[in-house]
Amino acid sequence: MTSLLCITIISLTLAAASAYSEPMTLSIRPTVMVLGVLGENVTLPCLLLSKDAIAHTGVRVKWTKVAEDEALNEDVLLSMGFHKKTYGSFADRVFMNETDNEDASITITDVSLADAGKYLCEVINGMVDILEEVILDVQSILTEGVVFPYSPSEGRYNLNFDNATQACLEQNASVATLEQLHEAWKGGLDWCNAGWLSDGTVYYPVTKARGPCGGNKGPGLISYGIRNKQMGRYDVFCFAPALKGSFYWLVQPDRLTFDEAVQACVDDGAEIATVGHMYSAWKLEGFDRCDAGWLADGSVRYPISRPRKNCSPTEAAVRFVGFPDKMQKSNGVYCYKDE
């Protein structure tokens, strides 16, 4: 009986060894170049060999963003059968297309400049492994400027028309026109506070009508009409042009008061950035940093172009922290340097 058991075990071992010794084929595809547009969606292609490959639960698909230093590679997406997971800055904005059983392509939503680079698609099924390299280039077609809502430290609805004009000028901007606000609305601007426009009218843009924000009027530009420029008190929609210099986070060892923040930028050969600078860098250049910093109007904000946990998780936005006590050593600073 012992001899028979040993023979059986040896036979099974040899059979297993034979199965695993079958040669594995590695298929390396030609590199694919893909052009993406800032703020839009882009698809990175990766196709399988057989029509039933991806339907097989044993097939593993892994997407990686490849850095020059391998230690800095970023996991993008891992798929095995019905189980899929996205990682880091790609979480919840990368999806596998699966238009058919041959498709392992992914779509990246709300593309930022930081998404540009080399990606590797690995398809592993134990018999034929596929490697496909994709190079993503991201360009911006938005070169003119950006519309943004603004209210002063006193709070919402505190600006007459002249005050509104001056407020925009101080933010490296001008009061937006109706045409500019309409283009911003088409681009997704949704804001439930009414603001001045350059012709003395007051509007607010709504992409998702709800309750007091658009209500039964539906999405669109909600008009208050022409208002008294001296007596009327509203917020303002400003228009900031594309930057001609550099907007950046100034690395400092300690947190700063407002005056220290202003001086730190000066010492770096720059000036403290305005709200308009931040919006332009965020919208037109894809600037992304999850650090709250002082700006020239005494406000504290931070720009997020890649939503993620603890950093504007639901949408890309310039996040407003508030107007803190200027004497508090509570924040870093964003600077702007002309070129």
Side-chain angles (χ1 to χ4, degrees), residues 40-42 44 93-94 106-111 115 119 136:
E40 298 187 2
N41 301 343
V42 66
L44 307 187
R93 68 184 191 97
V94 173
I106 59 172
T107 294
I108 304 176
T109 62
D110 194 21
V111 172
D115 292 328
Y119 292 78
L136 173 61

Side-chain angles (χ1 to χ4, degrees), residues 2-310:
T2 302
S3 299
L4 180 59
L5 180 59
C6 290
I7 292 171
T8 302
I9 292 173
I10 291 171
S11 299
L12 290 173
T13 302
L14 290 173
S18 175
Y20 283 103
S21 64
E22 292 183 17
M24 182 185 72
T25 303
L26 178 63
S27 174
I28 301 177
R29 305 276 183 79
T31 299
V32 177
M33 306 294 293
V34 175
L35 177 62
V37 176
L38 184 67
E40 298 187 2
N41 301 343
V42 66
T43 296
L44 307 187
C46 184
L47 300 179
L48 308 183
L49 290 177
S50 61
K51 288 187 178 297
D52 60 350
I54 203 168
H56 193 285
T57 56
V59 173
R60 179 172 177 264
V61 178
K62 181 181 181 182
W63 277 90
T64 306
K65 189 169 188 285
V66 181
E68 290 186 10
D69 182 351
E70 187 175 343
L72 299 179
N73 285 357
E74 296 179 68
D75 290 335
V76 177
L77 176 144
L78 180 62
S79 170
M80 181 171 286
F82 298 107
H83 301 286
K84 295 174 177 61
K85 181 175 177 60
T86 51
Y87 299 88
S89 64
F90 299 99
D92 299 323
R93 68 184 191 97
V94 173
F95 305 92
M96 184 170 285
N97 293 359
E98 297 179 319
T99 55
D100 57 47
N101 288 337
E102 292 184 43
D103 197 0
S105 305
I106 59 172
T107 294
I108 304 176
T109 62
D110 194 21
V111 172
S112 72
L113 294 178
D115 292 328
K118 182 189 298 183
Y119 292 78
L120 187 64
C121 172
E122 300 176 78
V123 181
I124 305 165
N125 69 4
M127 296 298 292
V128 178
D129 289 355
I130 299 170
L131 292 180
E132 186 155 349
E133 187 177 88
V134 181
I135 305 295
L136 173 61
D137 183 23
V138 178
Q139 296 181 358
S140 172
I141 60 172
L142 302 171
T143 57
E144 185 182 359
V146 56
V147 173
F148 63 95
Y150 186 80
S151 57
S153 58
E154 292 80 10
R156 60 183 293 221
Y157 294 172
N158 268 287
L159 300 171
N160 65 21
F161 183 78
D162 290 340
N163 296 149
T165 301
Q166 184 61 33
C168 287
L169 287 174
E170 291 173 356
Q171 305 315 313
N172 189 51
S174 57
V175 180
T177 65
L178 179 59
E179 292 74 20
Q180 288 167 342
L181 183 64
H182 184 252
E183 288 301 310
W185 169 76
K186 289 197 298 183
L189 180 61
D190 183 283
W191 196 255
C192 200
N193 291 348
W196 290 104
L197 295 180
S198 61
D199 61 356
T201 57
V202 173
Y203 282 81
Y204 65 94
V206 174
T207 59
K208 297 178 182 178
R210 68 272 185 195
C213 300
N216 297 327
K217 297 180 180 179
L221 298 183
I222 310 302
S223 174
Y224 282 22
I226 297 176
R227 314 303 287 181
N228 186 307
K229 290 184 176 181
Q230 296 303 316
M231 301 298 294
R233 293 293 187 275
Y234 301 96
D235 293 346
V236 62
F237 289 99
C238 302
F239 177 82
L243 299 179
K244 296 181 179 179
S246 299
F247 172 88
Y248 62 100
W249 168 262
L250 182 62
V251 177
Q252 292 282 291
D254 302 305
R255 294 183 178 184
L256 308 169
T257 66
F258 177 76
D259 289 342
E260 290 171 339
V262 172
Q263 188 60 48
C265 288
V266 172
D267 292 344
D268 200 51
E271 61 184 286
I272 187 169
T274 65
V275 177
H277 289 145
M278 177 174 282
Y279 268 96
S280 290
W282 165 72
K283 186 67 173 180
L284 306 182
E285 300 178 3
F287 193 95
D288 179 282
R289 189 169 185 104
C290 197
D291 290 299
W294 290 106
L295 294 176
D297 66 340
S299 67
V300 172
R301 308 171 195 245
Y302 61 98
I304 298 296
S305 61
R306 294 181 287 107
R308 53 206 183 272
K309 186 178 181 181
N310 299 325

